[in-house]
């Protein structure tokens, strides 16, 4: 069953890349074959966990040995405006005898204990390699637990060995569509309710977005899953529109919500000024199409005009300082293109952007903004090539996630974290201003001139 | 009863008991004759305004919460760094009790100093008798190899002449004629503990170079290092020695307190454990050069050294990248010894650590107070890390220091908004912190009241540190020291981040 599910996910009709493939290629799926012996990213379990972990009021219970939860416990910087329960690490901590005798009973007891103790609105149970290999049927255990205890217990079937982190994101989406979304009918559904999919509230940056939406009179029913409450996710099917932020992770979920409940969706981004404006326009347009008051459109335009003017004005002082600086964007997904425009407006040159986890549409947008220069679109850059690039002085700063930071740092190049471990909010208009400010700070730190020089006694007179 | 013999509460919890709370409340209501809480609050708020700041800075007669100590404190510190040496203070014994407790509270070590306990009759007739008897008793009781004499205000006000008094004492055989008794006049009403340190080191060198015998310098290959008054001397001197040993430099540390203020608990009481031998002190005239690690702790001493034909170089507390570079390169230049790869690696690691953390430090504003050399070094290091030193204050800083500090701030865009406050005290700093606040304060334990008042976190990095233990056992000098200073600052930055918001109470930073 899991196998079929994965096959389905790999042939996503909502995915442009997939549709462009031949039938036989499509059958092979989009999962890249992992290369044994080469460094690789996270596993499917990790992907599923990070996609669901931001639901703040539930227990996330990992059924496996200590490593899976122990190494991932609270390492994602996703914020909450309320419950803290999601930050606790729960695991069945399988040991030798459990592997021999099976871990289902232990899992069941663990579920009972966390429900008795914390009374969460739901429990998410995560399958791992070990529990899958010994044949623990977590779906059955979860079903039995739900029936007997009356609290929804959601099985997340994404053991690490089934594939990549991205696949895990999608399997998390499957768990939501199969067991969560549509299980609660809210009493307050309205004509301007929306969901944002693939937004995880990193560094609490949804505050910036929520505020913009609130000013337009749009209610964010829930993000999936940033700062989410279980009951809001369960009622997500009553929203009138879906915005998909991280398209690769949850586009299938968006498509299925459209098929099942007729919720239209679009892919957009809150990174960058014009992209934020575009996203707000698209949301307003969709809501009006679905019956919201048309005045929303003019209200949106007013807000956009006001915010854009304010933001560009606030960014003006940075222009002189940042003009001519060369940036390497080493990230993926929407961020591969969404911040390019604003950086260019600052007079900065984007010398390259990686499109590792980006869709074809992402790539096109990035290419368009880079003036059609294909050379600047890079897939993964091998660390040694990246190192050389910095050594040769081909970039002044890299914006990337934490894993590649040391390549830049050891090559004496400033680096700014724009992925999940960052601590600044970059979403929306204010977020872009913050990003520019942080780039300026990173570039102008005096340690960079220090690090590029040898020890002073090594300098020949 | 809040207190019972079975479980005696300490003052932290005892005064939280309802009985005591009630007692305090009723004392306040009935006996304190206080203005109303509102009036107190209003006055308190007023002291945070610009208007009050201007009045505060117009203050002439009173110094409130000075960040400095007096000359003899520096003098006895300087004396303690020599072999078998008993610091001896000519004057009133109360002052000496202060020096002993001040140093003991910081170093957590016994601090032997004797006083000749001048009393009223000595004030009238002069302190000669006290010196004669005092030297005799100290010599007989404690059997030192050298007694180093400094003075308190009392002796200075009545004008006691140490040179003549000590000569008389020797004539009267209080101590043997060839027993070394260097001295320095160290009135508290001139300068501060850094001046006293300078005077005493100069006095000791002068004794061996000129008084004991008129020596002529025969320059050799050694260099002298004068560390200066430093609360971190225990670890910093060891760090400096490690560098010099690694480079293969022959050196003499003039006044090395790293042992005497950090003795092991192994059953033996080391009353004297100053690291500079008398022979080394005598021979130090023959050094090729003398390096002072703290310019403002050695102005007069360096004049004496220069007059003997030695090359001289003075630094302002070698902490941070540039300051350590400059020190090592000077040593290398003076001695011809290369800076080895192992030290260069330490430097690289420090730079690496700063790059790892720079985003957390960048643009953070700091108020720095302390001695002139420390504040200069701290300011320079903050600038290197991209921090913004907003207020730099030294109660014992003069015009020269002020000019130097201003030039330092002007050398970096991060110093553009920095202000230098020479001769100002911590009550001035309070006004500054309320009107132009910073993110952090760097200074001594005395900053804790500012921290409580203003809510701005204090980072303790200079003498005296009374309320935290063992900071002085780890160096602040050199690249390793800078790394440690970096960590101290970062720890506070992260603590503040953790404490300020539940939302960003993050595991990973």
């Amino acid at each position: 069953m899991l196998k079929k599910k994965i096959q389905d996910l790999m042939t996503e009709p909502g995915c442009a890349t997939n549709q462009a493939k031949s039938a036989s290629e499509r059958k092979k799926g989009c999962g890249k074959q992992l290369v044994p012996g080469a460094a690789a990213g996270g596993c499917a379990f990790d992907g599923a966990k990070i996609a669901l972990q931001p639901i703040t009021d539930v227990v996330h219970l990992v059924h496996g040995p200590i490593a899976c939860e122990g190494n991932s416990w609270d390492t994602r910087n996703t914020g909450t405006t309320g419950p803290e329960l999601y930050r606790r690490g729960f695991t069945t901590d399988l040991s030798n005898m459990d592997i021999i005798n099976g871990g289902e009973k232990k899992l069941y007891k663990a579920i009972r204990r966390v429900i008795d103790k914390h009374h969460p609105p739901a429990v998410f149970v995560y399958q791992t390699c070990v529990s899958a290999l010994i044949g623990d049927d977590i779906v059955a255990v979860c079903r039995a637990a739900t029936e007997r205890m009356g609290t929804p217990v959601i099985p997340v079937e994404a053991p690490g060995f089934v594939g990549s982190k991205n696949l895990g994101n999608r399997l998390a989406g499957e768990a939501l569509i199969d067991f969560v979304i549509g299980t609660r009918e809210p009493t307050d559904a309205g004509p301007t309710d929306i969901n944002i999919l693939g937004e995880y509230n990193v560094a609490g940056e949804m505050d910036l977005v929520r505020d913009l939406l609130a000013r337009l009179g749009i209610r964010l029913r829930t993000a999936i899953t940033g700062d989410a409450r279980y009951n809001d996710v369960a009622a997500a099917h009553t929203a009138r529109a879906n915005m998909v932020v991280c398209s690769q992770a949850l586009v299938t979920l968006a498509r299925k919500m459209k098929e099942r409940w007729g919720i239209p969706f679009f892919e957009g981004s809150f990174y960058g000024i014009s992209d934020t404006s575009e996203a707000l326009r698209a949301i307003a347009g969709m809501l009006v199409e679905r019956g919201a008051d048309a005045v929303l459109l003019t209200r949106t335009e007013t807000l956009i005009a006001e915010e854009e003017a304010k933001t560009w004005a606030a960014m003006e002082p940075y222009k002189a300082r940042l003009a001519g600086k060369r940036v390497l964007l080493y990230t993926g997904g929407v961020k591969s293109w969404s911040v390019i425009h604003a950086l260019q407006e600052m007079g900065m040159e984007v010398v390259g952007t990686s499109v590792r986890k980006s869709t074809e549409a992402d790539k096109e947008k990035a290419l368009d903004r880079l003036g059609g220069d294909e050379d600047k679109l890079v897939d993964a850059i091998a660390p040694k090539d990246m190192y050389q690039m910095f050594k040769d002085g081909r970039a002044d700063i890299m914006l990337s996630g934490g894993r590649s930071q040391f390549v830049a740092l050891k090559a004496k190049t400033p680096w700014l974290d724009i992925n999940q471990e960052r601590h600044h909010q970059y979403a929306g208009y204010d977020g872009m201003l913050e990003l520019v400010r942080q780039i300026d700070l990173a570039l102008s730190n005096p340690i960079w001139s220090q690090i590029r020089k040898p020890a002073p006694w090594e300098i020949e007179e | 009863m809040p207190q019972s013999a079975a479980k005696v509460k300490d003052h932290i919890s005892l005064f939280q008991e309802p009985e005591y709370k009630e007692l305090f409340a009723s004392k306040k209501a009935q006996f304190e004759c206080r203005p109303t809480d509102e009036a107190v609050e209003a006055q308190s708020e007023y002291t945070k305004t610009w208007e009050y700041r201007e009045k505060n800075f117009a203050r002439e007669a009173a110094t409130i919460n000075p960040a400095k100590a007096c000359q003899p404190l520096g003098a006895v510190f300087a004396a303690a760094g020599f072999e078998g040496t008993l610091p001896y203070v000519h004057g009133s014994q109360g002052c000496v009790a202060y020096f002993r407790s001040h140093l003991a509270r910081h170093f957590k070590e016994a601090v032997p100093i004797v006083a000749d306990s001048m009393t009223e009759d000595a004030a009238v007739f002069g302190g000669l008798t006290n010196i004669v008897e005092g030297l005799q008793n100290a010599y007989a009781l404690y059997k030192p190899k050298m007694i180093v004499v400094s003075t308190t205000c009392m002796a200075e006000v009545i004008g006691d002449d140490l040179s003549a008094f000590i000569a008389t004492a020797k004539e009267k055989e209080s101590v043997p004629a060839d027993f070394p008794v260097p001295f320095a006049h160290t009135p508290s009403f001139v300068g501060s503990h850094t001046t006293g340190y300078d005077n005493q080191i100069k006095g000791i060198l002068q004794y061996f170079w000129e008084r004991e015998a008129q020596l002529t310098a025969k320059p050799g290959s050694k260099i002298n290092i004068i560390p200066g008054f430093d609360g971190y001397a225990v670890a910093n001197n060891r760090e400096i020695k490690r560098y010099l040993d690694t480079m293969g430099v022959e050196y003499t540390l003039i006044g090395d307190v790293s042992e005497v203020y950090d003795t092991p608990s192994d059953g033996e009481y080391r009353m004297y454990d100053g690291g500079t031998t008398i022979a080394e002190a005598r021979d130090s005239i023959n050094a090729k050069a003398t390096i002072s690690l703290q310019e403002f702790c050695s102005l007069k001493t360096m004049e004496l050294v220069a007059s003997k034909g030695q090359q001289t170089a003075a630094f302002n507390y070698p902490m941070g990248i540039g300051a350590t570079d400059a020190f090592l390169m000077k040593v290398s230049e003076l001695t011809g010894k290369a800076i080895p790869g192992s030290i260069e690696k330490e430097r690289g690691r420090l730079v690496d650590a700063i790059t790892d953390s720079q985003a957390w430090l960048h643009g953070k504003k700091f108020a720095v107070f302390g001695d002139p050399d420390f504040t200069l070094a701290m300011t320079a290091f903050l600038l290197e890390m991209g921090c913004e030193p907003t207020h730099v204050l030294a109660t014992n800083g003069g015009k020269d220091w002020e000019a130097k500090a201003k030039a330092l701030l002007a050398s970096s865009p991060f110093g553009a908004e920095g202000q230098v406050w020479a001769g100002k005290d911590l009550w001035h700093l309070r006004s500054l912190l309320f009107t132009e606040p910073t993110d952090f304060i760097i200074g001594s334990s005395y900053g804790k009241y500012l921290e409580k008042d203003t809510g701005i976190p204090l980072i303790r990095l200079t003498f005296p540190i009374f309320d935290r233990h063992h900071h002085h056992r780890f160096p602040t000098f050199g690249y390793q020291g800078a790394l440690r200073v970096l960590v101290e600052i970062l720890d506070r930055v992260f603590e503040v981040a953790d404490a300020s918001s539940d939302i960003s109470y993050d595991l990973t930073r």
Side-chain angles (χ1 to χ4, degrees):
Chain A
M1 214 172 98
L2 183 58
K3 202 167 180 188
K4 185 177 176 311
K5 187 164 267 176
I6 291 168
Q7 193 61 41
D8 285 351
L9 285 172
M10 291 298 190
T11 52
E12 170 55 49
C15 168
T17 316
N18 193 50
Q19 291 314 300
K21 286 179 184 167
S22 70
S24 62
E25 258 187 76
R26 206 176 305 157
K27 205 171 172 194
K28 267 193 248 160
C30 61
K32 272 200 204 85
Q33 208 61 43
L34 291 167
V35 185
C43 64
F45 160 76
D46 186 37
K49 185 86 191 301
I50 62 179
L52 296 175
Q53 179 96 34
I55 302 177
T56 56
D57 56 352
V58 302
V59 165
H60 297 277
L61 174 61
V62 177
H63 185 42
I66 185 61
C68 307
E69 175 62 359
N71 296 331
S72 64
W73 179 27
D74 202 17
T75 50
R76 293 268 295 188
N77 201 10
T78 56
T80 174
T81 54
E84 296 275 354
L85 190 56
Y86 75 121
R87 285 198 146 156
R88 290 220 194 163
F90 295 99
T91 173
T92 48
D93 191 11
L94 294 180
S95 57
N96 229 342
M97 291 313 285
D98 301 318
I99 310 301
I100 295 165
N101 297 323
E104 290 177 357
K105 279 190 185 140
K106 194 175 191 184
L107 173 61
Y108 184 81
K109 284 184 192 160
I111 294 169
R112 193 167 60 201
R113 187 179 163 79
V114 296
I115 289 176
D116 286 350
K117 184 123 176 101
H118 298 285
H119 310 290
V123 177
F124 282 74
V125 173
Y126 297 82
Q127 183 75 293
T128 63
C129 294
V130 172
S131 52
L133 284 171
I134 62 174
D136 279 2
D137 185 348
I138 67 160
V139 179
V141 174
C142 289
R143 193 188 307 123
T146 306
E147 280 164 14
R148 285 184 217 168
M149 297 173 213
T151 299
V153 183
I154 317 300
V156 183
E157 275 202 292
F161 56 72
V162 299
S164 68
K165 185 160 146 185
N166 177 256
L167 177 64
N169 295 152
R170 298 175 189 212
L171 287 168
E174 289 301 297
L176 291 179
I177 196 98
D178 289 347
F179 296 100
V180 184
I181 299 172
T183 58
R184 189 180 79 92
E185 290 304 326
T187 52
D188 60 346
T192 59
D193 293 356
I194 63 159
N195 303 316
I196 301 179
L197 275 51
E199 162 59 57
Y200 303 110
N201 197 28
V202 169
E205 68 184 1
M206 268 173 54
D207 291 351
L208 301 174
V209 175
R210 208 184 278 119
D211 176 58
L212 288 173
L213 294 173
R215 282 163 64 193
L216 294 174
I218 295 169
R219 175 172 54 193
L220 181 61
R221 167 63 67 186
T222 186
I224 293 179
T225 54
D227 194 21
R229 309 291 182 275
Y230 180 79
N231 283 324
D232 291 334
V233 180
H237 63 295
T238 58
R240 310 305 286 265
N242 275 341
M243 172 171 169
V244 185
V245 172
C246 192
S247 57
Q248 277 224 333
L250 291 175
V251 70
T252 308
L253 179 62
R255 175 179 60 79
K256 289 193 175 174
M257 286 177 81
K258 186 178 180 188
E259 284 168 8
R260 210 172 284 184
W261 296 290
I263 308 171
F265 70 91
F266 75 99
E267 292 178 29
S269 161
F270 283 114
Y271 293 116
I273 293 171
S274 44
D275 294 291
T276 301
S277 301
E278 280 310 311
L280 293 176
R281 263 188 206 109
I283 292 169
M286 270 186 180
L287 289 174
V288 169
E289 225 166 80
R290 297 205 66 206
D293 192 334
V295 77
L296 179 59
L297 297 175
T298 46
R299 205 156 60 216
T300 306
E301 290 306 326
T302 313
L303 177 120
I304 287 172
E306 195 181 297
E307 283 292 326
E308 285 200 355
K310 198 178 83 187
T311 312
W312 286 122
M315 281 165 60
E316 197 58 37
Y318 293 100
K319 265 192 183 173
R321 302 169 57 90
L322 297 179
K325 293 280 191 274
R326 295 155 308 158
V327 187
L328 174 66
L329 274 172
Y330 197 70
T331 164
V334 289
K335 283 190 295 268
S336 58
W337 51 269
S338 59
V339 296
I340 293 177
H341 179 57
L343 297 180
Q344 287 172 336
E345 282 295 325
M346 286 292 101
M348 300 178 79
E349 187 195 344
V350 177
V351 293
T353 183
S354 80
V355 288
R356 287 173 299 168
K357 286 180 278 181
S358 311
T359 60
E360 280 308 311
D362 284 336
K363 286 181 196 167
E364 258 170 50
K365 284 179 199 157
L367 194 57
D368 181 44
R369 287 171 193 211
L370 292 170
D373 188 347
E374 293 257 7
D375 290 346
K376 288 183 177 170
L377 274 199
V378 289
D379 211 40
I381 309 177
K384 82 174 187 314
D385 298 333
M386 192 190 282
Y387 183 76
Q388 198 54 47
M389 195 169 164
F390 293 127
K391 276 294 230 192
D392 297 347
R394 277 180 276 159
D396 296 309
I397 187 170
M398 174 164 78
L399 310 187
S400 79
R403 284 184 189 154
S404 37
Q405 65 172 305
F406 297 108
V407 181
L409 291 179
K410 298 298 175 196
K412 307 181 176 186
T413 303
W415 162 83
L416 186 67
D417 194 347
I418 58 167
N419 279 7
Q420 69 274 4
E421 277 157 17
R422 72 194 139 90
H423 298 270
H424 301 283
Q425 306 175 343
Y426 295 148
Y429 301 106
D430 292 348
M432 194 60 216
L433 182 59
E434 182 60 22
L435 177 65
V436 167
R437 205 178 81 83
Q438 289 300 329
I439 292 174
D440 181 39
L441 287 178
L443 277 171
S444 58
N445 192 293
I447 197 66
W448 302 118
S449 57
Q450 184 65 253
I451 199 174
R452 291 194 194 106
K453 286 185 292 202
W457 55 85
E458 296 287 353
I459 298 168
E460 302 277 331
E461 293 281 321
Chain B
M1 278 297 287
Q3 201 64 290
S4 95
K7 189 174 189 296
V8 176
K9 295 189 172 78
D10 69 4
H11 63 284
I12 294 172
S13 51
L14 180 65
F15 297 133
Q16 300 299 324
E17 295 294 319
E19 288 86 344
Y20 278 97
K21 284 191 171 171
E22 196 191 320
L23 187 144
F24 294 142
S26 90
K27 172 170 164 281
K28 181 176 159 189
Q30 297 175 49
F31 303 111
E32 286 183 5
C33 303
R34 281 163 57 104
T36 61
D37 284 351
E38 292 73 33
V40 172
E41 179 63 23
Q43 185 63 25
S44 165
E45 284 307 309
Y46 172 66
T47 64
K48 300 172 184 173
T49 60
W50 272 92
E51 189 191 341
Y52 181 79
R53 168 173 165 172
E54 276 152 27
K55 285 198 184 354
N56 191 9
F57 274 74
R59 167 161 57 93
E60 285 173 6
T63 297
I64 308 174
N65 299 345
K68 64 171 180 180
C70 69
Q71 281 215 50
L73 179 82
V76 297
F77 175 97
F82 292 84
E83 175 194 1
T85 297
L86 182 66
Y88 176 113
V89 184
H90 175 53
S92 41
Q93 86 279 5
C95 302
V96 178
Y98 286 142
F99 312 145
R100 294 183 63 194
S101 56
H102 221 62
L103 292 167
R105 283 168 186 159
H106 176 85
F107 288 109
K108 317 292 178 208
E109 286 288 335
V111 179
I113 309 172
V114 297
D116 57 19
S117 307
M118 284 170 69
T119 49
E120 197 172 353
D121 51 345
V124 177
F125 301 112
L128 176 60
T129 319
N130 296 70
I131 292 247
V132 173
E133 288 180 11
L135 286 179
Q136 186 182 14
N137 288 335
Y139 181 73
L141 280 172
Y142 305 114
K143 301 180 177 48
K145 291 184 181 167
M146 169 159 83
I147 295 177
V148 174
V149 181
S150 52
T151 55
T152 72
C153 300
M154 189 174 169
E156 291 300 321
V157 169
I158 62 174
D160 279 0
D161 180 350
L162 285 182
S163 177
F165 284 15
I166 292 167
T168 309
K170 284 190 172 179
E171 276 167 24
K172 296 189 178 220
E173 296 181 351
S174 295
V175 294
D178 60 349
F179 183 81
V181 187
F183 63 89
H185 289 276
T186 52
S188 295
F189 45 80
V190 176
S192 72
H193 56 290
T194 54
T195 327
Y197 177 93
D198 188 11
N199 283 335
Q200 191 73 83
I201 293 285
K202 182 186 169 193
I204 293 168
L205 295 181
Q206 215 159 21
Y207 174 82
F208 288 115
W209 296 357
E210 293 174 357
R211 287 176 180 271
E212 187 186 57
Q214 189 67 41
L215 299 179
T216 313
K218 298 182 213 68
S221 56
K222 271 183 149 183
I223 58 167
N224 298 324
I225 306 281
I226 301 177
F229 186 93
D230 177 17
Y232 286 77
V234 162
N236 279 347
N237 289 1
R238 288 181 191 145
E239 190 66 1
I240 291 294
K241 287 190 275 187
R242 184 176 67 87
Y243 277 141
L244 298 175
D245 289 339
T246 310
M247 289 172 74
V249 171
E250 292 175 90
Y251 60 92
T252 302
L253 227 62
I254 307 284
D256 179 8
V257 295
S258 60
E259 293 298 315
V260 71
Y261 288 153
D262 190 19
T263 61
S265 281
D266 55 2
E268 183 194 345
Y269 173 53
R270 295 165 175 82
M271 180 159 167
Y272 307 116
D273 216 0
T276 311
T277 65
I278 287 168
E280 282 172 330
R282 203 175 276 132
D283 183 53
S284 61
I285 193 173
N286 298 323
K288 188 177 183 182
T290 294
I291 295 178
S292 163
L293 301 185
Q294 299 197 61
E295 180 191 2
F296 293 100
C297 286
S298 59
L299 296 165
K300 287 184 189 158
T301 305
M302 293 306 270
E303 279 173 22
L304 171 71
V305 169
S307 76
K308 301 295 172 193
Q310 288 188 25
Q311 298 180 65
T312 60
F315 296 91
N316 302 108
Y317 209 85
M319 178 171 78
I321 307 170
T324 308
D325 290 350
F327 167 70
L328 291 173
M329 286 165 73
K330 192 71 194 180
V331 170
S332 177
E333 178 199 318
L334 289 170
T335 62
K337 305 275 186 186
I339 300 165
S342 63
I343 295 179
E344 194 167 334
K345 262 190 165 178
E346 283 182 24
R347 183 184 192 278
R349 285 185 206 116
L350 169 64
V351 175
D352 181 71
I354 298 173
T355 63
D356 291 338
S357 311
Q358 54 88 14
W360 285 97
L361 298 169
H362 205 117
K364 291 274 189 303
K365 291 182 190 299
F366 288 78
V368 180
F369 74 85
D371 288 342
D373 292 289
F374 169 77
T375 46
L376 286 171
M378 196 64 242
T379 302
F381 188 35
L382 289 173
L383 293 173
E384 284 175 342
M385 295 186 287
C387 302
E388 296 178 16
T390 307
H391 304 295
V392 184
L393 182 144
T395 308
N396 50 353
K399 285 206 170 65
D400 291 348
W401 172 80
E402 185 177 1
K404 217 164 177 174
K406 282 185 173 163
L408 176 61
L409 289 171
S411 70
S412 159
F414 292 83
E417 285 168 33
Q419 301 173 75
V420 178
W421 305 100
K424 297 292 179 250
D425 56 41
L426 297 186
W427 193 254
H428 289 117
L429 185 56
R430 183 180 181 274
S431 276
L432 296 172
L433 290 172
F434 275 121
T435 47
E436 295 173 275
T438 59
D439 297 310
F440 297 94
I441 305 167
I442 292 179
S444 69
S445 284
Y446 286 116
K448 78 187 289 181
Y449 304 103
L450 291 171
E451 178 180 43
K452 187 152 192 165
D453 242 8
T454 61
I456 300 170
L458 169 71
I459 302 166
R460 292 163 178 80
L461 280 169
T462 192
F463 181 88
I465 298 176
F466 292 156
D467 59 342
R468 296 291 184 271
H469 293 190
H470 311 310
H471 282 220
H472 65 280
R473 296 181 202 267
F474 302 91
T476 53
F477 276 177
Y479 305 123
Q480 288 295 110
L483 191 59
R484 173 265 172 99
V485 171
L486 169 73
V487 173
E488 296 246 351
I489 294 173
L490 283 170
D491 277 355
R492 270 344 277 278
V493 170
F494 292 131
E495 280 164 22
V496 167
D498 281 346
S500 60
S501 160
D502 283 345
I503 293 174
S504 66
Y505 191 75
D506 299 331
L507 181 70
T508 320
R509 299 235 185 241

